[in-house]
Amino acid sequence: MKLDILHRTRYVYSSPVRDSFNDVRLEPPSIPEQTVESFLLRVLPAVRLKHYTDFFGNWIHHFEIPESHGYLLIESQSRIITHWPSAIPADAELCPLAKIGEAAHIERCFDFLQTSRFIELEADAWRLALDASENITDVWQAALAIMRFTHGFLKYESRSTHVHTHTRDVIKDRRGVCQDFAHFMIGLCRSVKIPARYISGYLATEAASATHAWVEVFIPGTGWRALDPTHNRQIDGTYVKIGHGRDYGDVPPVSGNYRGTLDRTMEVQVQISAVQ
């Protein structure tokens, strides 16, 4: 599937601000599952952009605006071809759960087995993970069971949480948005030693186009496989990955700071269209 993606974020300040320093994580990577045909990032007021990759290999564009300004516009345009692998059969058994401890010795998995900013390996998460995967002896089947459990345990409710909501609050309130579904599932997976990482990206559907969050779990002998607990399914060609990290704190679309008023408005617009 070929997709054109427009992502626009606009901040308007009640009085001019200055010394704005920002990191933008909006450039999708070219990976075996997707090809980036083009990417353009525009910032107003006009600035010089620097780019680099972070510890996890995600693209970051950095810019600074020392001068006084009353608004900030960040707009990215991407054209992506997706070719995600076929779904793994729901009844497939890929790796004995008894061998999952081997993943801890793989360097790329270590960070995705630990507590992180928004995810703690709490006793409550461990008990829920055990309930979800009871009598299951396969890593893939356990991951699927935890995804199904997450989908049923949490209620999707727009604006019920914010970007800084912790999993302990999600467990208590049993509601949230896609970010919370991903954090919750990751916490349960890590509690039973299944490496799991947070994915930021886009989801294009007939009903809406939006930023989205899902999960990748590591299956020894197979690699990273993507699961979407919000929709209780494996991902397909309607998903575009931007980046991954331990949780949302590693991959916010825009992060930074500035000097000046806290009174501001923010408007985000995402448009995704299929290209014939």
Side-chain angles (χ1 to χ4, degrees):
M1 177 176 285
K2 183 179 291 188
L3 300 169
D4 277 344
I5 304 170
L6 171 68
H7 189 146
R8 181 182 294 123
T9 304
R10 181 179 175 87
Y11 301 92
V12 177
Y13 308 100
S14 62
S15 59
V17 301
R18 60 186 176 87
D19 294 333
S20 179
F21 298 84
N22 299 273
D23 289 328
V24 178
R25 297 170 177 83
L26 290 175
E27 181 172 357
S30 280
I31 53 178
E33 298 80 10
Q34 64 187 33
T35 301
V36 180
E37 284 202 336
S38 63
F39 175 80
L40 176 66
L41 181 65
R42 182 169 71 109
V43 175
L44 292 176
V47 294
R48 181 178 180 181
L49 296 169
K50 302 177 182 178
H51 66 276
Y52 60 95
T53 56
D54 66 11
F55 177 79
F56 300 109
N58 305 310
W59 281 110
I60 297 180
H61 289 80
H62 175 81
F63 66 88
E64 303 173 5
I65 309 176
E67 300 84 4
S68 177
H69 54 285
Y71 75 98
L72 173 61
L73 174 69
I74 302 170
E75 180 181 280
S76 67
Q77 294 177 283
S78 308
R79 173 165 286 188
I80 311 294
I81 301 175
T82 62
H83 27 80
W84 292 91
S86 300
I88 297 175
D91 59 352
E93 294 189 357
L94 304 180
C95 176
L97 195 55
K99 292 187 176 182
I100 192 59
E102 298 174 4
H105 303 294
I106 301 175
E107 182 178 353
R108 58 180 171 165
C109 288
F110 179 82
D111 290 307
F112 307 113
L113 284 164
Q114 313 302 316
T115 291
S116 56
R117 180 177 177 182
F118 297 114
I119 302 170
E120 288 183 8
L121 306 187
E122 303 172 338
D124 288 344
W126 176 72
R127 284 191 291 266
L128 291 172
L130 291 182
D131 289 343
S133 59
E134 186 177 9
N135 297 323
I136 294 176
T137 59
D138 178 77
V139 177
W140 175 243
Q141 290 302 316
L144 290 176
I146 290 173
M147 176 181 68
R148 291 191 295 267
F149 180 84
T150 300
H151 184 74
F153 185 83
L154 300 181
K155 177 183 178 182
Y156 188 92
E157 191 171 315
S158 299
R159 301 183 180 87
S160 59
T161 58
H162 51 77
V163 295
H164 300 299
T165 298
H166 196 279
T167 49
R168 71 172 71 92
D169 299 313
V170 177
I171 291 174
K172 180 180 66 175
D173 297 334
R174 297 185 62 169
R175 62 179 182 175
V177 295
C178 60
Q179 172 183 304
D180 306 300
F181 278 67
H183 282 163
F184 180 85
M185 179 178 170
I186 291 169
L188 267 60
C189 285
R190 290 180 186 171
S191 294
V192 292
K193 309 304 181 183
I194 299 176
R197 61 191 188 187
Y198 181 97
I199 309 300
S200 69
Y202 301 104
L203 174 59
T205 66
E206 293 183 1
S209 298
T211 56
H212 193 50
W214 59 94
V215 177
E216 287 181 354
V217 295
F218 185 80
I219 313 296
T222 300
W224 293 99
R225 295 295 302 200
L227 297 171
D228 181 357
T230 305
H231 296 96
N232 192 32
R233 69 186 188 191
Q234 299 181 54
I235 70 171
D236 56 24
T238 60
Y239 291 73
V240 172
K241 178 178 178 178
I242 297 175
H244 65 258
R246 293 162 296 183
D247 56 32
Y248 172 84
D250 289 330
V251 285
V254 180
S255 60
N257 54 73
Y258 63 88
R259 295 181 183 273
T261 179
L262 295 178
D263 184 8
R264 68 178 188 183
T265 60
M266 180 181 74
E267 180 183 352
V268 179
Q269 179 185 9
V270 176
Q271 295 178 351
I272 305 176
S273 56
V275 180
Q276 300 299 324

